[in-house]
Amino acid sequence: MGLNLAQKIIKEHLVSGEMKAGTEISIRIDQTLTQDSTGTMAYLEFEAMGVPRVKTKKSVAYIDHNTLQSGFENADDHKFIQTVTSKHGIYFSRPGNGICHQVHLERFGIPGMTLLGSDSHTPTGGGIGMLAIGAGGMDVAVAMGGGAYFLTMPKVCKVNLVGKLSPWVAAKDIILEVLRILTVKGGVGKIIEYAGEGVKTLTVPERATITNMGAELGATTSIFPSDNITKEFLTAQGRAEDFTEILPDTDAEYDEEITIDLSRLTPMAAKPHMPDNVDTIENIGAIKVDQVAIGSCTNSSYMDMMKVASILKGKTVHPDVSLVIAPGSKQVLTMLAENGALADMVAAGARILESACGPCIGMGQAPKTDAISLRTFNRNFEGRSGTKSAQVYLVSPETAAASAITGVLTDPRSLGDAPEIEMPKLFKINDNMVVSPAPENNDVQVVRGPNIKPFPVNKPMSDTISGKALIKVEDNITTDHIMPSNAKLLPFRSNIPYLSEFCLVPCDPEFPARAKANGGGFIIGGSNYGQGSSREHAALAPLYLGIKAVVVKSFARIHVANLINSGILPLTFKNPDDYDKIDRDDQLEIKDAINAVKVGGDIVIRNITKGIDIVTETSLSGRQVEMMLAGGLLNYTKENN
Ligand code: MIC
Ligand code: SF4
């Protein structure tokens, strides 16, 4: 039987397990990336593991999230990361060099390699045929130390692309269509592998837009083949030697398959407040727009920016619209500056932001009350923009730029002929903002500012787990709900005690106080609990508040791994309707928990308040059982060294 692309790379990197969907495997990690808002914690954890030097082929630390510097905290974190990475053999991409995923794709990603990143959009690397996976900081720390990455062997879902996109229809519209079909939980436990004739019509930046936003499907990762188009891209990046062709076998088998006819797609948008709430621009109609934001790791490539510049050239942004643009990297920004496209943007009235995440994670540019904000980003969760009442629509750069001029949601096809933007034969290459690490056995002093506080470490699991149901939340709760991120909170990513005061506050402002007053307890949730980001803070803050178990209908992949890494017991209702049998403040108890976790399968929760038993289950691997009993990955690693 032939292998698909994902299986080929996994096979090449397999350390343990069998490539059987649903079973635990572990793979060797070639490269890692971190960004600053998860990186501080990841490097504190790496230090706690006591490994002197990274063992990967290449590890890079990016500074791209926390760049507002409204106080000393961000700058302190940057210095900590710069010094700790230098000491331990990690490359440091300075603030201003660009968004981690964009820069990594341009400068470091290598087809066929594995990449583990402490950011959920790490699968951007799938655009050049990498097996690129997002994970919590602790897993990335382990990988940097040479440890394998453990995951559940995913099913592989083939997305067969046929035909060719019509003018003005973009890669963003393809991934929005996939999201419309599969939904935000449709990718859980799967790798999305793109195949078919349509693949050959897509450039690397277009492929990267699609694999990037595959994170919104909940998928383990997404991947495109590494073919001639990949070769051209790497050659234009001066990295022809990094190219290898990686194609699926002609008789490759897949667990699932869907087909998308590119020629039938039209411009689309994800409506508030979920990336899968997709409709066509035509159906949504010409709603009035207050803000347009172009950039983020999804749509900030040179090609995207050139399209935007050509739409804006000679025009003026509508007086009722604020247009902000953040080119994805220093490379992109330099090229736009040199060829005059930046001048076209500025002349049209665009407000240019630095090459960083910026408004995507609420770091500035919060829209006005009740604003309609069009964004080329990947997430439109309620409140993520920094304004709770804002209505965020996710659109392509073409739709965004067209609407910025007209002031209403505009189908770019109404603009006439689409611009012909050529892929550059040679990108502008200048890696002077990447600092190489100090040599081995250096005496670099790691600089720690006062905001860097110790992170919480759990205790070994107790045999009786009891406490109140401290909160009960709905389906599709995101990590932005569990551990919000915005301009006020992001500076505190290395200060869990402070952050915990905001844990789950968007769902219930009293939750942190209630959790503390009760000495911790349980969280009750619906399906796809913890979707979105990779931030382990969404597990560490609950840990700090004394949360012992999270009981839900289903979990998102990275979050459940982060809970286990923190020693918080993840349980799913055996019968999803039992969700109705627990109310907030009910007193719950699990007896004989150690044995139950060891044996696996059913775990009974006694609802003492209601006098009933509720059957839940865990699907922990042998290693995860050990981790739970030890009180998390750090304790487990120490015990096993
Ligand atoms: C995001 O897009 O939500 C983030 C901010 O990049 C996160 C990482 C973080 O919370 O720091 C992610 O996607 O993992
Ligand atoms: Fe940054 Fe936004 Fe991409 Fe997250 S999704 S890495 S915040 S640009």
Side-chain angles (χ1 to χ4, degrees), residues 483-484 489-490 492-503 537 541:
M483 195 58 265
L489 291 181
L490 220 54
F492 296 97
R493 280 299 183 89
S494 40
N495 186 343
I496 298 293
Y498 181 79
L499 274 190
S500 70
E501 300 293 332
F502 301 87
C503 180
H537 307 72

Side-chain angles (χ1 to χ4, degrees), residues 321-338:
V321 176
S322 167
L323 169 66
V324 292
I325 303 180
S329 68
K330 169 172 158 280
Q331 179 181 78
V332 174
L333 185 53
T334 313
M335 289 174 72
L336 299 178
E338 284 183 355

Side-chain angles (χ1 to χ4, degrees), residues 35 37-38 65 119-120 361 379 384 493 533-535:
Q35 40 86 341
S37 66
T38 55
H65 281 63
D119 191 281
S120 65
I361 190 58
R379 291 185 173 144
R384 184 174 161 101
R493 280 299 183 89
S533 88
S534 68
R535 66 189 72 134

Side-chain angles (χ1 to χ4, degrees), residues 35 37 64-65 99-102 118-122 124 212 216 295-300 356-363 377-379 384 490 533 535:
Q35 40 86 341
S37 66
D64 55 2
H65 281 63
I99 306 176
C100 54
H101 309 303
Q102 176 65 26
S118 64
D119 191 281
S120 65
H121 291 103
T122 303
T124 312
N212 170 285
E216 276 50 71
S296 93
C297 55
T298 320
N299 279 116
S300 61
C357 301
C360 178
I361 190 58
M363 294 301 275
F377 307 166
N378 45 40
R379 291 185 173 144
R384 184 174 161 101
L490 220 54
S533 88
R535 66 189 72 134

